Amino acid sequence: MNDTLSPLGAQLSMDLDIPTSRKLIPIEAANVLLDRDEDQVLALIESGKLVWAWDIRHPEAKQREIRIWRNSLLAHLSGDWDAHSQISEEAVLQHVLNHRRPEVRSTDLQRCWSCSQTHVHALIVSGCLGPAKQREQIRGSNAVERIAREHLLTFLRQRRLH
């Protein structure tokens, strides 16, 4: 069999493009992108090579829900992780929340944080994200709630991994 035609012998080449709407990337995606297991990615976070990461889990959850700032992950991939360690927390949080409005829609937060609407709703119900204003009544799991920006900033400051 000709090795040049064998799918097992071929190396695929592709450009990496993480959508800009996904500000926080799940650790599982970082495992794949960095070709490392979860313990190795956690070691990168603890050593400061992946500077910006948070645990967004529900308070009753046993398993962590780690998210890494997209720009920190891309900086590490390009070998420029040191420059990202110098960015202020406030600048990172402003970028993560993507706008300066006083409220953030739960559906926007779901996309930005790469998590489910159910997860966002559970954080709201538990009080982790503060009280939400339910303005847009849509039935079922598609109900859109608005979360005060100040509550999101407090949550992220408390949940940052170092």
Side-chain angles (χ1 to χ4, degrees):
M1 179 179 212
N2 185 343
D3 283 344
T4 61
L5 298 178
S6 169
L8 297 176
Q11 174 68 40
L12 296 177
S13 173
M14 64 180 157
D15 292 327
L16 177 64
D17 186 26
I18 302 171
T20 57
S21 61
R22 303 287 181 168
K23 304 298 183 192
L24 300 182
I25 307 299
I27 193 168
E28 297 84 3
N31 295 350
V32 172
L33 294 170
L34 298 173
D35 191 23
R36 298 179 188 261
D37 65 31
E38 186 171 328
D39 290 335
Q40 291 171 319
V41 173
L42 288 171
L44 290 172
I45 292 168
E46 291 168 5
S47 70
K49 292 183 179 177
L50 281 174
V51 180
W52 301 101
W54 296 265
D55 183 356
I56 64 165
R57 76 176 127 179
H58 184 276
E60 295 175 9
K62 292 183 172 108
Q63 186 174 350
R64 298 195 293 182
E65 290 285 337
I66 296 174
R67 299 295 186 270
I68 301 165
W69 184 37
R70 175 188 182 277
N71 291 13
S72 186
L73 183 60
L74 292 174
H76 183 78
L77 285 167
S78 70
D80 192 26
W81 61 268
D82 193 42
H84 275 279
S85 65
Q86 306 305 317
I87 299 173
S88 74
E89 179 180 57
E90 195 58 33
V92 171
L93 293 177
Q94 296 303 326
H95 185 263
V96 166
L97 293 179
N98 200 28
H99 53 72
R100 300 198 183 279
R101 287 178 269 157
E103 297 174 341
V104 177
R105 291 169 23 127
S106 58
T107 50
D108 294 337
L109 191 62
Q110 168 195 349
R111 183 158 182 78
C112 176
W113 288 7
S114 302
C115 63
S116 70
Q117 183 70 6
T118 303
H119 185 77
V120 173
H121 182 71
L123 290 173
I124 292 168
V125 170
S126 70
C128 289
L129 296 181
K133 297 176 184 174
Q134 190 148 354
R135 291 191 183 153
E136 300 173 36
Q137 267 313 349
I138 303 172
R139 292 182 185 190
S141 62
N142 292 327
V144 177
E145 299 170 282
R146 295 186 181 266
I147 304 127
R149 181 182 183 78
E150 64 194 57
H151 295 298
L152 295 171
L153 291 170
T154 299
F155 178 81
L156 289 173
R157 285 184 182 114
Q158 292 172 347
R159 298 296 189 92
R160 183 167 174 214
L161 302 175
H162 299 279

